[in-house]
Amino acid sequence: MREAAFVKQNKDKWQRFERALQNNALLPPGELSSLYLEVTDHLSYAQTFYPGSNTLHYVNGLASRAHQKIYRNKKEPKNRFVTFFTEEFPREFYQYQKQLLLAFLVFVLFVAAGSFSAASDGAFVRSILGDAYVNMTLDNIANDDPMAVYKKMGEMEMFLGITINNVRVALMAFVFGIFAGLGTLFIIMQNAIMLGSFQYFFYEKGLLWESVRTIWIHGTIEISVIIVAACAGLVVGKGILFPGTYSRLTSFINGIKAGLKIVISTVPFFILAGFLEGFVTRHTEMPDWLAILIISGSLALILFYYVFYPIILHRKLPDEPTNSIP
């Protein structure tokens, strides 16, 4: 690569990193470390292909300043656990909005595919949900309590079981990202087709609203954070397929680190979804307005934390000009 093209490709990252160093590290420590690793990769590249150049001197100086700031003067705050969720993660998550959108669109596509398949083939729902579940639900419908499945287990037992299972699904969506993201897409497909066929089953029985007002009390958060976990897997896949100026190994490691942070961010939401399913969803007698309030509040919470709040934090980053780059 010609030196001018190399500078043009990376100068925005260098400027952002330099702004962070000049403004007392307004970026979270994890993101600073990630940028530092990328700068050191650029330094190695410049040493190999542009020895003695101004570009090499600039990147070397930037890497030296970063090393001193991050690794010599770095102090972990006592409230790191809190700041991870309130500042560090949402600020970093801004750069993964495209992967989040892709996960969402793929999920919606396969929900539609599941619904269409259920409408086209009467046996499809049984093949996806299983005969035992379908027969049990039909019995519940006959007994005028179609959502009785949420009342059969004890509250705490259901809360723990659902939460553990949801975290397991999230981890699978993340880990399967190592198959270039294809494994993650498979997990999305499985869950989305199941949801689409499930909802069509109740629509066919004239119980769509009854199912929506009940299931989405917990499902709004549950499904949303499964999509977020799938985003984590796609981040890993992107790190493998598109390393950019990183070495492929470094890009893969960075993708794993970023994806793991995304998965960690979902755990409190999975706990909340498990609580709602175990303790709230079973109250099918609640008025419609209360169910709508819970569903709307859950959706607003997810959209704020994973979409709007990262944008707000990103806009607070300084963008004033810095020292010139060769």
Side-chain angles (χ1 to χ4, degrees), residues 111-232:
V111 166
S115 299
F116 178 79
S117 298
S120 304
D121 183 357
F124 184 78
V125 172
R126 288 184 176 272
S127 69
I128 296 296
L129 302 179
D131 288 332
Y133 183 85
V134 172
N135 291 336
M136 176 191 65
T137 304
L138 289 174
D139 289 339
N140 292 335
I141 293 173
N143 294 326
D144 294 323
D145 194 2
M147 299 292 112
V149 64
Y150 295 104
K151 306 172 186 178
K152 293 186 180 297
M153 294 177 62
E155 294 175 335
M156 183 58 69
E157 181 183 3
M158 177 173 281
F159 163 60
L160 293 176
I162 292 297
T163 300
I164 292 171
N165 180 69
N166 287 340
V167 172
R168 180 186 64 82
V169 172
L171 288 173
M172 288 177 60
F174 163 57
V175 172
F176 281 20
I178 63 175
F179 301 109
L182 296 178
T184 298
L185 294 177
F186 178 75
I187 296 297
I188 295 177
M189 180 189 71
Q190 276 189 319
N191 286 272
I193 288 178
M194 184 180 297
L195 176 62
S197 59
F198 179 83
Q199 288 285 206
Y200 184 83
F201 173 73
F202 283 100
Y203 166 76
E204 190 177 40
K205 302 302 178 184
L207 295 167
L208 179 61
W209 171 244
E210 179 66 21
S211 68
V212 168
R213 71 176 296 280
T214 302
I215 295 164
W216 289 91
I217 286 176
H218 63 271
T220 301
I221 293 178
E222 179 179 281
I223 295 301
S224 296
V225 287
I226 286 176
I227 293 173
V228 172
C231 167

